[in-house]
């Protein structure tokens, strides 16, 4: 079992339906409700196509992490500002 993050994509419409992080599926905000299942395997929420896993590029992941860090920093900054005023 590895902690490699995967992007879960549809073979037919190439929509990203979610991400597999630490072995858990995080559904994409664009996919509301549970993924339709056929034959025990989850399917695309848009077209019902087969899904495949694509390892997330490390640089892409680094960018995502940076975004989160940036969000946290700006939130902390806002809190500081509201305290100062
Ligand atoms: Zn699809």
């Amino acid at each position: 079992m590895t902690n490699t993050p995967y992007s879960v994509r549809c073979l037919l419409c190439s929509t990203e339906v979610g991400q597999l992080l630490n072995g858990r599926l995080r559904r994409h905000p664009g996919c509301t409700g549970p993924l339709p299942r056929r034959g025990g395997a989850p399917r695309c929420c848009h077209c019902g196509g087969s899904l495949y896993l694509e390892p997330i590029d490390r640089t892409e992941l680094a960018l995502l992490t940076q975004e989160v860090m940036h969000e946290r920093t700006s939130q902390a900054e806002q809190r500081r500002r509201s305290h100062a005023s």
Side-chain angles (χ1 to χ4, degrees), residues 10 13 44 46-47 49:
C10 173
C13 67
C44 173
H46 294 287
C47 70

Side-chain angles (χ1 to χ4, degrees), residues 9-15 17 43-51:
R9 287 178 183 276
C10 173
L11 271 172
L12 295 181
C13 67
S14 66
T15 302
V17 299
R43 295 293 181 128
C44 173
C45 57
H46 294 287
C47 70
S50 302
L51 301 175

Side-chain angles (χ1 to χ4, degrees), residues 60-78:
E60 199 180 317
L61 191 70
L63 281 173
L64 283 172
T65 314
Q66 270 176 11
E67 263 172 47
V68 172
M69 293 293 283
H70 179 73
E71 222 165 80
R72 280 188 192 153
T73 313
S74 56
Q75 270 172 10
E77 220 162 82
Q78 275 171 11

Side-chain angles (χ1 to χ4, degrees), residues 18-66:
Q19 288 176 343
L20 198 63
L21 301 171
N22 298 321
R24 309 189 85 186
L25 178 68
R26 272 181 53 183
R27 244 180 295 122
H28 208 265
C31 271
T32 50
L35 296 176
R37 279 174 182 270
R38 217 175 295 159
R43 295 293 181 128
C44 173
C45 57
H46 294 287
C47 70
S50 302
L51 301 175
Y52 70 96
L53 298 177
E54 186 182 72
I56 296 177
D57 200 291
R58 277 179 193 278
T59 54
E60 199 180 317
L61 191 70
L63 281 173
L64 283 172
T65 314
Q66 270 176 11

